[in-house]
Amino acid sequence: MSVKTDTVRVELGHRSYDVRIGAGLLARAGAEIAPILARRRVAVLTDENVAARHLDALRDGLGDIAVSALALPAGEATKGWAEFSRAVDWLLAERIERRDVVVALGGGVIGDLGGFAAAVLRRGVRFVQIPTSLLAQVDSSVGGKTGINSVHGKNLIGAFHQPSLVLADIGVLGTLPARDFLSGYGEVVKYGLLGDAGFFDWLETNGPKLATGDMAARQYAVRRSVEMKARIVERDETEEGDRALLNLGHTFCHALEAATGYSDRLLHGEGVAIGCALAFELSQRFGLCSQEAPSRVRAHLRAMGMKTDLADIPGELPGAGALMDLMAQDKKVVDGRLRFILARGIGEAFVTSDVPGDAVRQILEDALARR
Ligand code: GLY
């Protein structure tokens, strides 16, 4: 079955770029990337797992473009100063010049680290994102947020640096473990919930097909997600306002990820899914949306076999107070007030700093009591 490649343009003036979405893009990478190369060579940053699965295919696809590659250890622990400085030193040792292109081949960790390395190398070189996880295809590879983690929290060190091209090969999604695919699906659902009720309806019907490998459904879901992200990034590239909508569910998620030690007890997209359900519950408590909305969110996540609540997180969790303290570390704190994303209904999210801490604590206490 072949589905044609879609292109979503991210319009940012002289930093505009295309996100190409389709099956078989790795095999055509040379033709896709060649127009932006000043000389026929690229440096590829990847991780060991992705390298084992996809690096040979990318080399073949790049044809006569010279490739040097560095595979970092897989996993979130890579996204810190140690591997970052190793990557930057390697790029310098490879004599990557100002007009050269770095390719980030991998999931969110590699995309964020590789993008940040490109942002600082010789004060900025261009880079191409080739996201290999669903999460990276629908979210982290688009929009130019790059960076690494600090001992003080996730993504606290970084830069806005837009890629010059994104190649989202939906064919590679077939190699993902089911749990990783579903974790990425948490971010897909987020787009429906934040701004497109029709897309959420579509996901309720087509989500199961997507999970079992329907390529046309996967392509549509990735394209629609990227379109929504692109339009938001165009309006607010550096998150002064509307871009915060993309953080629906993330304030809860970041606290839960910190509480579970960024371990495989809770994957990022699983935390986003739980966080979205809690954000709708909070919205409903304020009378902003109907009682049906949070139930519908949870029903869909459950139908997809996803985590929907704190009760689905294995092992101990700290109390509501400690989770609130973890939320206070979030980048979304402005003048000590948490910025929350709430919703007036499915597809109608908005950003607010007016959420009383007591209401958040009550939601968490109730969710902890359900465990
Ligand atoms: N992942 C959220 C953003 O790109 O703004």
Side-chain angles (χ1 to χ4, degrees):
M1 191 228 37
S2 83
V3 186
K4 80 168 193 21
T5 301
D6 288 314
T7 304
V8 177
R9 181 93 179 145
V10 184
E11 290 289 353
L12 289 168
H14 68 282
R15 288 169 298 108
S16 299
Y17 54 96
D18 286 341
V19 182
R20 302 268 290 149
I21 303 156
L25 281 164
L26 275 188
R28 298 200 303 280
E32 297 282 339
I33 293 176
I36 64 168
L37 297 182
R39 58 174 173 157
R40 292 183 79 76
R41 70 158 304 188
V42 291
V44 178
L45 288 172
T46 186
D47 75 37
E48 286 159 1
N49 292 349
V50 172
R53 288 192 201 119
H54 303 301
L55 186 55
D56 285 346
L58 178 61
R59 281 184 196 279
D60 288 349
L62 286 168
D64 67 355
I65 296 170
V67 179
S68 45
L70 175 68
L72 301 172
E76 189 71 28
T78 288
K79 214 174 126 176
W81 284 119
E83 296 298 331
F84 175 72
S85 85
R86 186 177 154 210
V88 172
D89 283 338
W90 175 78
L91 290 166
L92 292 170
E94 287 294 314
R95 302 196 182 286
I96 293 303
E97 297 173 2
R98 196 73 195 274
R99 290 165 55 211
D100 286 333
V101 168
V102 173
V103 173
L105 170 72
V109 167
I110 290 297
D112 287 6
L113 181 148
F116 187 38
V120 298
L121 190 79
R122 301 186 192 279
R123 300 206 178 91
V125 301
R126 292 166 306 147
F127 77 115
V128 173
Q129 290 270 21
I130 307 188
T132 54
S133 67
L134 179 59
L135 185 139
Q137 292 193 352
V138 299
D139 184 31
S140 57
S141 67
V142 179
K145 280 190 181 174
T146 72
I148 56 173
N149 303 330
S150 144
V151 287
H152 297 284
K154 267 184 79 161
N155 298 328
L156 293 180
I157 303 153
F160 286 99
H161 184 52
Q162 298 293 341
S164 298
L165 175 69
V166 181
L167 299 178
D169 185 337
I170 58 158
V172 306
L173 299 178
T175 63
L176 291 178
R179 187 176 172 202
D180 288 340
F181 184 88
L182 281 181
S183 167
Y185 186 78
E187 297 277 4
V188 175
V189 171
K190 178 194 79 176
Y191 287 104
L193 295 177
L194 76 86
D196 186 348
F199 185 44
F200 185 76
D201 291 348
W202 184 91
L203 290 171
E204 284 181 316
T205 307
N206 294 283
K209 248 185 0 199
L210 215 133
T212 52
D214 184 300
M215 295 291 263
R218 285 184 173 187
Q219 178 142 342
Y220 176 72
V222 173
R223 193 191 84 209
R224 183 68 199 120
S225 301
V226 169
E227 276 169 358
M228 290 187 68
K229 178 145 191 186
R231 298 298 85 85
I232 290 172
V233 168
E234 286 165 356
R235 289 205 298 276
D236 176 23
E237 183 181 2
T238 53
E239 202 170 309
E240 314 292 321
D242 264 12
R243 184 163 180 165
L245 289 172
L246 296 170
N247 296 325
L248 176 63
H250 282 62
T251 306
F252 287 114
C253 169
H254 287 158
L256 294 171
E257 281 184 294
T260 50
Y262 304 99
S263 67
D264 69 358
R265 282 173 63 200
L266 184 73
L267 303 181
H268 177 70
E270 294 173 338
V272 170
I274 294 172
C276 285
L278 292 174
F280 270 79
E281 207 175 303
L282 188 56
S283 304
Q284 187 265 318
R285 295 266 172 109
F286 289 134
L288 289 164
C289 68
S290 69
Q291 204 141 27
E292 192 218 340
S295 314
R296 205 174 144 201
V297 175
R298 285 217 166 90
H300 177 54
L301 297 174
R302 212 170 289 118
M304 293 296 292
M306 296 174 68
K307 292 181 169 56
T308 67
D309 208 347
L310 269 49
D312 300 322
I313 302 173
E316 295 292 309
L317 281 181
L323 288 173
M324 297 277 294
D325 287 345
L326 291 171
M327 283 185 182
Q329 282 290 341
D330 203 278
K331 286 196 296 314
K332 291 179 288 303
V333 175
V334 179
D335 293 337
R337 289 185 77 89
L338 269 179
R339 261 192 303 163
F340 256 92
I341 318 304
L342 298 180
R344 298 195 173 83
I346 286 175
E348 296 175 69
F350 64 96
V351 185
T352 175
S353 302
D354 271 346
V355 179
D358 288 353
V360 179
R361 177 188 289 267
Q362 193 58 54
I363 288 286
L364 289 169
E365 277 173 4
D366 293 351
L368 287 164
R370 292 194 288 267
R371 278 166 63 85

